[in-house]
Amino acid sequence: MKKNILLSVFFVATSFVFAQSNLQPLATVKVGKSETITLGQLKARVDVYQRQSGITNFNLDQKKEVLDAMIDERLVVQKAIKSGISVTDSELDQYFVAMLSNMAGKEVTEKEFGEIIQTELSKTFDQYMKEQIGMTVSEYKNFLKNQLIAQRYIMSLKQKEIESASVTDAEVRDAYEINKSAFVQSDTMKMFFVVVPKQGDASGAKVLCTSLYNDYKAKKVTTDGLEKQMQSSNKFQAVSMYVGKNASAAALLRIDYSTLLEMFKRSKGFISEVFETETDYQFYTILDKYDAKMLGLSDPVSPGQAVTVYEYVKGNLIEEKRTIIFQTALSELTKELRVPANFKMEKSGAALDKLLTW
């Protein structure tokens, strides 16, 4: 009994010391209000970056780089807030939901995304976020809010310069020539799929898919007509897509590569028979075919798109210039703010190194 009590006391004492250690102040930022960066906060941020980079353990220099980045972040955010820059909760939620919708591949609410995670992965939204990026939903939202505030402030300082960034025709053509080998279009087909999920009624799904197939093959309905029918029905999907002759396309269609190659042997206008998968009945037709080729500047980036290779290269070059302007402005601002009046290192030298050897 006495041994158990001693163990309990030791455990409580150890936990207390560990908690106290995490509360150790490493730096204080005071552009506006006074904010302390603690060892625990640094550990949490290092964990996030380790997950993102795939590195198991950061070395001492890498941990110091993360600490410097956290100091710079607080300096800029405090300066931005002091200058009147803000992000409302509504704006933050809109941005966050847009990110979730992009991840889901469709428009979803935060609640709906959480339900998808629970259904497909049997995890809470917080568990999923913690595993993926090392933050809970609320922690990530706070991090995101600071990032948006900082971005808005830099944009307010350099907005005219960023918006007026441009490139010459010669720059576009030179960039294309350097990266010409990347602009290759593989053999591609424009396909139209009709998919009827079984949803617990396999025989009903087969009947409906066969009926849609017969109507299409008999030219009683067009692909446009099938898409319009789909909009007023939740019983089937009708969608067109461009499919390349590559492994990623096979994975997207959930077929093996040899099956995809057989599909490419079919001619334009081919209509498949109705076939069954584990979850649905479906058929497809080949609307068009495009041969593999090296893309020129006037070619569309991919079949069916209006954006040409020239416009794509030009857009990327402009974004690169805007990023350079933004990063340069951020670097200049942090250098300007890193003065004793704005921040103080609470630990340095050997004392800091000792704390960073976890």
Side-chain angles (χ1 to χ4, degrees):
M1 181 70 175
K2 183 177 179 181
K3 183 179 180 181
N4 289 338
I5 291 173
L6 288 172
L7 285 172
S8 297
V9 171
F10 176 75
F11 177 75
V12 171
T14 303
S15 298
F16 178 74
V17 170
F18 181 75
Q20 288 292 94
S21 174
N22 279 340
L23 293 175
Q24 288 264 15
L26 302 181
T28 300
V29 177
K30 46 185 178 178
V31 177
K33 63 179 181 179
S34 180
E35 284 187 279
T36 300
I37 298 174
T38 66
L39 178 61
Q41 291 170 338
L42 175 63
K43 285 181 177 179
R45 186 64 67 87
V46 166
D47 180 58
V48 170
Y49 292 158
Q50 285 179 167
R51 289 171 187 268
Q52 292 176 353
S53 65
I55 299 174
T56 305
N57 292 302
F58 276 11
N59 60 34
L60 183 62
D61 288 339
Q62 289 170 318
K63 290 173 184 176
K64 286 183 176 180
E65 286 178 11
V66 176
L67 177 58
D68 278 340
M70 291 179 71
I71 292 170
D72 289 345
E73 178 187 305
R74 300 286 178 91
L75 285 168
V76 174
V77 171
Q78 284 199 16
K79 178 65 175 178
I81 293 172
K82 192 175 181 180
S83 301
I85 302 296
S86 65
V87 171
T88 66
D89 289 341
S90 176
E91 290 172 327
L92 177 62
D93 287 339
Q94 285 181 345
Y95 196 91
F96 185 61
V97 167
M99 291 176 59
L100 298 181
S101 296
N102 187 52
M103 291 168 63
K106 61 180 180 180
E107 287 192 11
V108 293
T109 63
E110 184 176 330
K111 181 182 178 182
E112 288 170 341
F113 190 85
E115 290 171 349
I116 292 172
I117 296 300
Q118 184 66 55
T119 300
E120 296 186 0
L121 302 177
S122 299
K123 297 174 182 177
T124 66
F125 197 179
D126 271 340
Q127 288 173 330
Y128 172 78
M129 291 290 285
K130 196 73 176 176
E131 289 177 6
Q132 294 297 312
I133 59 174
M135 300 182 195
T136 63
V137 174
S138 62
E139 288 169 343
Y140 180 73
K141 280 188 174 182
N142 186 59
F143 171 77
L144 180 61
K145 185 173 185 176
N146 284 338
Q147 297 299 307
L148 292 173
I149 289 173
Q151 287 176 18
R152 283 190 177 182
Y153 183 55
I154 300 298
M155 284 294 294
S156 71
L157 297 176
K158 296 289 182 177
Q159 184 171 0
K160 186 175 181 180
E161 189 176 347
I162 289 173
E163 289 179 351
S164 62
S166 62
V167 293
T168 64
D169 178 72
E171 287 176 306
V172 174
R173 294 182 183 279
D174 286 347
Y176 168 74
E177 288 299 326
I178 293 171
N179 299 283
K180 199 171 186 176
S181 61
F183 294 102
V184 178
Q185 174 185 289
S186 63
D187 287 329
T188 303
M189 294 190 297
K190 182 180 182 181
M191 304 182 70
F192 185 84
F193 290 87
V194 174
V195 181
V196 184
K198 293 178 181 177
Q199 295 180 331
D201 183 11
S203 60
K206 183 177 181 180
V207 169
L208 175 57
C209 192
T210 302
S211 175
L212 294 170
Y213 168 79
N214 289 334
D215 285 348
Y216 180 72
K217 194 166 186 180
K219 298 183 179 179
K220 292 180 180 179
V221 65
T222 63
T223 54
D224 288 342
L226 287 169
E227 288 178 337
K228 288 178 181 178
Q229 286 184 38
M230 178 192 70
Q231 292 171 6
S232 59
S233 170
N234 61 356
K235 294 183 178 180
F236 73 96
Q237 292 94 45
V239 61
S240 63
M241 66 174 67
Y242 290 90
V243 178
K245 191 191 286 185
N246 50 58
S248 59
L252 177 66
L253 297 176
R254 292 181 293 177
I255 58 176
D256 56 49
Y257 191 57
S258 61
T259 301
L260 180 67
L261 291 179
E262 287 300 317
M263 293 169 71
F264 267 89
K265 293 177 182 178
R266 309 296 186 184
S267 302
K268 175 180 175 180
F270 171 81
I271 305 173
S272 75
E273 298 294 328
V274 172
F275 58 94
E276 181 182 10
T277 73
E278 186 178 341
T279 59
D280 54 51
Y281 283 91
Q282 57 181 273
F283 68 91
Y284 68 84
T285 182
I286 299 173
L287 300 179
D288 212 341
K289 298 187 75 172
Y290 308 85
D291 292 332
K293 68 172 184 176
M294 180 74 72
L295 297 176
L297 283 168
S298 61
D299 287 320
V301 173
S302 61
Q305 284 195 8
V307 178
T308 64
V309 171
Y310 186 95
E311 292 166 334
Y312 176 81
V313 173
K314 181 179 180 180
N316 279 350
L317 289 177
I318 290 174
E319 284 306 311
E320 285 177 11
K321 287 197 173 185
R322 287 174 174 168
T323 299
I324 291 171
I325 294 169
F326 185 94
Q327 293 297 338
T328 300
L330 178 60
S331 179
E332 290 173 350
L333 178 62
T334 54
K335 185 177 180 180
E336 175 189 321
L337 293 173
R338 268 184 172 267
V339 294
N342 292 331
F343 90 106
K344 175 187 176 184
M345 293 299 301
E346 303 293 349
K347 295 289 186 295
S348 59
L352 177 61
D353 291 352
K354 185 177 180 181
L355 286 173
L356 301 188
T357 55
W358 72 81

